[in-house]
Every structure is written in C-alpha cells, then in structure tokens.
Amino acid sequence: MFDRFIKLLDQYSELSNEEIEYLWKIRKQIPAQICRKNEIIFKAGQIFNTMYFVLDGCVRLFYNNNGNEKTAFFYTKGKFFRAIESYQKEIPAKENYQAIEDTTLLLFHKNLVRQLIKQHLKFKHIAQLAVEDELVTAQNMISSFVTKSPEQRFLELFEHNSDLFRNINQHYIASYLGVTPESLSRIRKRALMKEKN
Amino acid sequence: MFDRFIKLLDQYSELSNEEIEYLWKIRKQIPAQICRKNEIIFKAGQIFNTMYFVLDGCVRLFYNNNGNEKTAFFYTKGKFFRAIESYQKEIPAKENYQAIEDTTLLLFHKNLVRQLIKQHLKFKHIAQLAVEDELVTAQNMISSFVTKSPEQRFLELFEHNSDLFRNINQHYIASYLGVTPESLSRIRKRALMKEKN
DNA sequence: TTTAATTCTTGACGATTGTCAAGAGTCTAA
DNA sequence: TTAGACTCTTGACAATCGTCAAGAATTAAA
C-alpha cells in the first residue's frame, strides 16, 4: 500500500532514493483511513488541519446550501485535497468531503507536513506542485463555467470522465455542472438524442 | 514605486531587512510595464514565461470563445498573475490578459523567479502563498457558480467589489457572472427593484 | 461642441432552467 | 423474495436566459 503511494507521488516529482527511504522510515506516522461508500470524511464547521491523499477511490467536495448539497469537485486516485482556506487561516471550513465509493486515504497532519518540508525541500516542492495542479484544474473549471453551457459541460465531462458516471449519483454530477438533477436528466436526454443523428 | 511593491508583499509574508535589501539590490532586473486602459498585456497562443505583479490598476483574464470574449477573472493591486498551466508545462496559453484601467505591472521572468527562490527561501514561500491565495479565490468562485444563481452572484459582487462597477465595461462583468450582457442588464434592474421594496 | 463609435438598455420570442409533484426504476436490508 | 428507501425520469408551468434587433445613453475623438 505504501509503495503505491510512493509510485503515485512520481507524477508530481521524481523522488531520490534518499527521499524514498525517508518516507519509508516515517510511514508509521502517516495514518491510513479506509472509507466505505457514502462515508463522510470531513464535515464543514471544523478546522481543517490535515492534508489528505487519495490512494484509491473517489471523494467529492460539497457545500451545504440551505440543506441542499452542492457538489463542487471530485478527487480521484493520486490527488491531494484539503480545505485550503481553513487550513491556512485556521478558520472553520465551509467544505464537506465524502467518499462516493470505497476509498483509501493517507492523512498528513499539519505538523507532519511541516516536518516533511523541513527535512527535504523536495516535499515542499511537491506540495507546491500539488497546489498548482489544483489551481490549474480550478481555473479550467471556471473557464468552463464562463465559456460553456451546461450541456457542453456535460458532454465534455461525459467524454473525459465517463468512469465518473458509472457508479455515482446523478445529483452529484448535476450540481457539479451547476444545474438541478431534473435538468441534468433532460440535458442528457437531449444530448444523447442529438448524438444519434 | 519599488517600495510600494515591497509594502504590498507584506500581505503575503513579512520580509526581513536582509530580504528587502536583496530586492533593492536587484530591482533593475525587474522591469516595470505601464499599460493604458484597454491595452492587451498578453495574447493567448504564446508561451507564458513571466510572473506579473499588479502594482496598481486592474487586469482582466479573458478567454476567446469563437470570437466571443469571456472574462473569467480580475486581478487588482497587490496580486500576482500568470497563466499557470502554460508557465509550468511550457505549452501555449489559452488565457488573454488586458488592462481595464491604467495599470502598472512588475515583470518577474521565470529565470529571475528561479534566482530569487534560490537566493532566499522566503521568496519560495511567498510564491507558494500567492498560489494558495489564488486557489482559495478560485475555489470560492467555483463554490459560487455551483451554489448560487447569477442574480445572487451579481448582488454579492456588487456588495463586495462595488468599485469594480465604476469604471468597467458591463460585458466584462457579465461573462464573469456567466451570463450575457443583456441578461446582466435585466438582472441589475430586477435586483435593484427588489432592493427598493 | 459636434460627430462618431461604443456601450447599455429594452423588446420580442424561442430555448432552457428551476420548481413542485407524481410515477418509474433501482438498490438495499430484512 | 419482498418491502421500503432512495434515485431517476417525466410532466406542467412559471421564471430566467440567450439571441437578434433596434433605440437610448454614454464615451471618445475630431
């Protein structure tokens, strides 16, 4: 399991043997969390003090909007996630996180992150790359909201992330696209009808 | 002008005297660019190799969507901006940047950024904070798209950034809210009518 | 100041969306 | 297997949006 983590880290930056050995040495300080489908990982209102890494599975970020859950993002295998604003400023988070399939996480507590960064600059670099990676994704998402219709966004998501559609509740995807589940249902119908012609 | 830059940097992280002196020493390596209102700063298609800092004024990020300009973001005094994906991966940028009022920028070329980071870790830290700051903003924007109607987004923007409305073309704001200029016009009318009651 | 260009507003109409409600379909646990 | 819970789809209707076009208002330039 832990070598799986190290292999996934490679997408951000190649690790030296020394760095890999160091990670192996401290691996007991990195708790793993196994979540069952639909399990809530983090509830809004608390202060976020842990960096999570998705070893396997899928996590959704959602906001609670007057009792209405709105999904803003999905994190899949190999991605870090954290409620950055809460983590940085130590204020209560607005974000909720939930496993939407059986998911395995690694937990990097803030103190451990500090220790890692102090030990090897490479880990600071990886943290930086992970944040930049997330920013690129976020900016692409904003670009998509600004330049495309819900129907176009649906078609693109369907093309590039068709695996998302297999096991996931449609209303998660609906709010991710910025529409209601009813609208998504109609959008899909329309879009797939057009595709036949 | 340069002490203005140093003062603005403080919002990210307080600088030591040594770091300030270092910046003063190399200040000639940091070109300034004075842009007139409506001047294009960067056109999509090129590779983005410079980190920009807004000393004064306001810059909009827009995408070109089949000849249709869509504004995704505004950068104001004290903010860094760059087309991250292009900067990182050295691929052509999709983003365009334009001054929407008289604007003064500082330009940090990639090589200079590398040099700064090598010289003082604090600068790496500031770069990290600037990116995280941008990510927080981006995530809040996505949250807003996902949880709120265009009318709500308009009201919030109007409340928190009313200065944006003074000098700026409405169609910039329209696409920022994800609607057409005509719709924004009606939204404003509706919203301000409701407010009277 | 006057003219020209640009931007903003309004109207009309069709398309899309949200909402509420009901029914069909699916999944889960007894 | 069956009952109950949850999810998805569909219908109806009102609200909102996009588009096209025209006119008003504002801004910039001559």
Side-chain angles (χ1 to χ4, degrees):
Chain A
M1 191 177 82
F2 199 70
D3 51 343
R4 183 179 171 75
F5 164 61
I6 287 176
K7 198 176 286 177
L8 284 168
L9 266 193
D10 250 25
Q11 63 174 307
Y12 295 106
S13 180
E14 262 186 61
L15 296 175
S16 68
N17 286 334
E18 193 195 349
E19 288 150 359
I20 293 178
E21 274 169 32
Y22 177 72
L23 284 176
W24 270 102
K25 209 163 60 192
I26 60 145
R27 70 180 182 285
K28 297 238 166 107
Q29 293 178 55
I30 308 174
Q33 183 177 329
I34 295 175
C35 308
R36 290 241 296 258
K37 185 175 177 174
N38 295 329
E39 192 174 328
I40 298 288
I41 296 163
F42 181 88
K43 262 190 197 167
Q46 308 165 272
I47 290 173
F48 207 98
N49 57 14
T50 300
M51 203 156 168
Y52 289 81
F53 183 84
V54 183
L55 259 189
D56 202 16
C58 188
V59 172
R60 76 175 178 120
L61 185 176
F62 69 97
Y63 298 95
N64 205 310
N65 202 31
N66 312 325
N68 216 315
E69 293 184 357
K70 299 285 187 176
T71 301
F73 207 74
F74 300 103
Y75 296 90
T76 50
K77 184 177 63 183
K79 298 290 176 189
F80 287 97
F81 70 87
R82 58 178 166 155
I84 282 202
E85 196 167 14
S86 171
Y87 186 96
Q88 261 190 25
K89 307 181 185 167
E90 307 203 326
I91 55 177
K94 294 169 291 185
E95 292 88 353
N96 302 270
Y97 295 86
Q98 179 185 27
I100 55 177
E101 53 186 59
D102 292 351
T103 295
T104 311
L105 303 169
L106 290 182
L107 278 59
F108 296 81
H109 190 275
K110 214 182 215 177
N111 295 331
L112 179 59
V113 172
R114 285 208 194 93
Q115 183 194 321
L116 281 169
I117 284 176
K118 217 179 270 176
Q119 208 70 29
H120 286 276
L121 258 183
K122 176 68 71 59
F123 298 136
K124 190 172 178 67
H125 190 223
I126 288 178
Q128 171 95 23
L129 288 179
V131 173
E132 295 193 356
D133 184 64
E134 209 173 340
L135 181 54
V136 168
T137 312
Q139 286 186 344
N140 285 337
M141 211 170 147
I142 291 171
S143 148
S144 161
F145 270 113
V146 164
T147 61
K148 287 163 196 155
S149 68
E151 183 169 330
Q152 286 175 298
R153 286 205 298 284
F154 162 76
L155 286 173
E156 285 187 11
L157 188 67
F158 192 72
E159 243 176 84
H160 300 309
N161 293 64
S162 60
D163 46 322
L164 256 190
F165 285 78
R166 258 174 235 140
N167 311 305
I168 291 183
N169 285 354
Q170 294 301 310
H171 66 256
Y172 296 165
I173 293 175
S175 53
Y176 181 73
L177 295 172
V179 298
T180 59
E182 295 94 328
S183 279
L184 174 58
S185 184
R186 290 177 185 118
I187 287 171
R188 175 193 288 110
K189 201 177 165 187
R190 269 205 313 272
L192 299 185
M193 267 181 56
K194 282 184 195 167
E195 213 165 59
K196 279 187 181 171
N197 307 341
Chain B
M1 191 177 85
F2 199 73
D3 51 341
R4 184 180 170 73
F5 164 60
I6 287 176
K7 198 177 284 176
L8 283 168
L9 267 193
D10 249 27
Q11 63 173 309
Y12 294 107
S13 180
E14 262 185 61
L15 296 176
S16 70
N17 287 334
E18 193 196 348
E19 287 149 0
I20 293 178
E21 274 168 33
Y22 177 70
L23 284 177
W24 270 102
K25 210 165 58 191
I26 60 144
R27 71 182 181 285
K28 298 238 167 110
Q29 292 178 55
I30 308 174
Q33 182 176 331
I34 295 176
C35 308
R36 289 242 295 262
K37 185 174 177 176
N38 294 329
E39 194 175 327
I40 298 289
I41 297 162
F42 180 89
K43 262 190 198 168
Q46 308 165 271
I47 290 173
F48 207 98
N49 57 14
T50 301
M51 204 157 167
Y52 289 82
F53 182 82
V54 183
L55 259 190
D56 202 15
C58 188
V59 172
R60 77 175 178 118
L61 186 178
F62 69 97
Y63 297 95
N64 205 310
N65 203 30
N66 311 326
N68 218 315
E69 293 185 356
K70 299 286 187 174
T71 301
F73 207 73
F74 300 104
Y75 296 89
T76 50
K77 185 177 62 184
K79 299 291 177 188
F80 287 97
F81 69 87
R82 58 177 166 156
I84 283 201
E85 196 167 14
S86 171
Y87 186 97
Q88 261 189 27
K89 305 180 186 167
E90 307 201 326
I91 55 177
K94 293 169 292 185
E95 293 87 351
N96 303 270
Y97 295 87
Q98 178 184 28
I100 54 176
E101 54 186 57
D102 292 350
T103 296
T104 310
L105 303 169
L106 290 182
L107 278 59
F108 296 81
H109 190 275
K110 214 181 215 177
N111 295 331
L112 180 58
V113 172
R114 285 208 193 94
Q115 183 193 322
L116 281 169
I117 284 175
K118 218 180 264 176
Q119 207 70 27
H120 285 277
L121 257 183
K122 175 70 71 60
F123 298 135
K124 191 173 178 67
H125 189 223
I126 288 179
Q128 171 97 22
L129 288 178
V131 174
E132 294 192 357
D133 183 64
E134 208 172 340
L135 180 54
V136 167
T137 311
Q139 285 187 344
N140 285 337
M141 211 170 147
I142 292 171
S143 148
S144 161
F145 270 113
V146 163
T147 62
K148 287 163 195 154
S149 67
E151 184 168 332
Q152 286 174 299
R153 286 205 299 283
F154 163 75
L155 286 172
E156 285 188 11
L157 188 66
F158 192 71
E159 244 177 84
H160 300 310
N161 293 63
S162 59
D163 47 321
L164 255 191
F165 285 79
R166 257 172 237 141
N167 312 304
I168 291 185
N169 284 354
Q170 294 302 309
H171 67 256
Y172 296 166
I173 294 175
S175 53
Y176 181 72
L177 295 171
V179 298
T180 60
E182 295 95 326
S183 280
L184 173 57
S185 183
R186 290 178 182 117
I187 287 172
R188 175 193 288 113
K189 200 175 164 188
R190 271 204 313 271
L192 298 184
M193 269 180 56
K194 282 184 194 166
E195 215 166 57
K196 279 188 181 170
N197 307 339

